[in-house]
Amino acid sequence: MNSPDTSFLRTLCSLRWLATAGQATTILVATWLLGLELPHVPLWAGVSVLALFNLYVQLRVRDSDPAPVTAFGHILVDVTVLTWMVGWSGGIANPFGSLFLILIALAALALPLRWTHAVAAACVAGYALSAVFGLPLKGGHFDSMSLHLWGAAANFLLSSVVVLVFSTRLAAALRERENQLALLRERFVRNEGIVALATHAASVAHELNTPLATMTLLTDDIAEQCGGDPEMRDDLETLRELLVQCRERVLALAAPAEGARPGRKRASIGHVLEQWRLVRPTIKLQRNPDAPLQLQLDPGIGHLLQVLLNNAADAGEHAGRPQVDLDLRLQDGQLFGEVRDYGPGFNAGDAALPGTLFNSGKAGGMGVGLALSHATIERLHGELWMRPAEGQGARVGFRLPLDNSGTNA
C-alpha cells in the first residue's frame, strides 16, 4: 500500500482499546493475584494517557488526513506509551516487551517503506530505553522464571489476537480496494473505446454533412416537380424528415463537445419516440398510456432510449415478431423505464452479454450499445438491469434520478 486510509486508523483505534484494557487487566492481576510491587501512579497514568488519546482520535478519525505521517504519529504515541509501561514494569525482563514487534508488523503492512523504517527505529529505541532504564520487578508470590514463562504465554495469546484482528480487517480493506481498482480499470478501458468511437464518428460526420445537404436540396426539387401526386409528395416529405433527422445527428456528432456544456438542447420523450417511429415504421410500439411524454430529457438519455428500442426491435425482427413494449413512469423524483423485446431471449450463448438486447450476433448490431448505455447511466448516477421476459424475449430496465425541475440531473 502506498498510503494508509481511514480504515487503518480505525483499526489502530480498535487495537488501542484492546491494549488499554489489556494493560489495565495486567496491572490488576500482577498486583492482586501475583503480589508484585508495581508503581501504580506511573502505570495508571500511562493507561489513562493512552485511553484519552484514543478517545480523541476516535472522535477525529473521520476528519483525519490518512497520510503516512498521520499514521506514523499515531503509532509513535503507541510506541511511547509502551516504552513507558514496559520501563516501569520490569524493563527487558518484562515478556510484554515483544509487543514492539506488533507495532512494526502493523507499520510494514500499512505504511510506505521509509515510514515503516521510521516506526522500526522508534520501536528499537523504545525497547532499548526500557531495557536500560527499566525498573526490576519486586516481590510476588512466584519466582522470576515462573513469572516470565506465564507472561510469555499471555503475551503470545495477546499477540495472536492482535494479529488476527488486524490481518482480517486489513485483508478485507485490501480486497475492497482491489475491487474498486478493477472497476475503475474496466471503466477506463470502456471509456477509452467510447472516446475513440466518438472521435471517429466526428470525422465521419464532417464527410457526411455535404452529401446530406445535397440530398435534401434534391428532395425539395423532386417535390416541386412531382406535381399533384399526393402519394409521391407524402413519400418525399417522409424522406425529407429522415434527411433532416440525419443532418441533425451528423451535426451533433461533428461537435461532440456540445453535449458537455450546460444549456444543451433537450428533447421530450414524445419527440424522441416520434423520431424513432420515423426511422422504424415497421415496428409495432406499445407503451403505457400514462407515460410522461412531455418530460424533457438529457440528450444522452434520448440516445439511450433509442438504442434500447432499436436493439429490442432488431431482436424481435430476428425472431419474426417486430414488436416492442415500452413502459415509462415517474416515481419519487426518478424516471423508471423498461423495454421488452420478443426476441430469442436468454440462452447459454448469452453468458458474456446477458440479454438479447445487447447481443450483436443476433441483432446484427455494432456491439457498442451496452457500453454506451452503461456509460450514460453511470454519468447520470442511474441504474441499468436486464431480466428475462415471460414467455419469450428479454426486458431491459433503467432508473434515472431527476432534478427539481423534472429534468435529468
Side-chain angles (χ1 to χ4, degrees), residues 26-38 40 137-142 147:
T26 302
I27 295 173
L28 295 176
V29 170
T31 303
W32 294 348
L33 184 62
L34 303 179
L36 296 176
E37 299 178 4
L38 296 178
H40 289 273
L137 297 174
K138 298 179 182 180
H141 306 313
F142 303 93
L147 287 175

Side-chain angles (χ1 to χ4, degrees), residues 24 34 42 83 96-97 166 202 211 215 223 225 312 351 359 367 373 382 403 408:
L34 303 179
T83 302
F96 291 97
F166 178 79
M215 293 171 65
Q225 299 174 7
N359 192 326
S373 300
D403 59 21
N408 292 97

Side-chain angles (χ1 to χ4, degrees), residues 83-84 86-87 91-92 100 122-135:
T83 302
W84 176 270
V86 172
I92 196 172
F100 286 105
C123 289
V124 171
Y127 187 77
L129 288 174
S130 63
V132 173
F133 300 102
L135 297 179

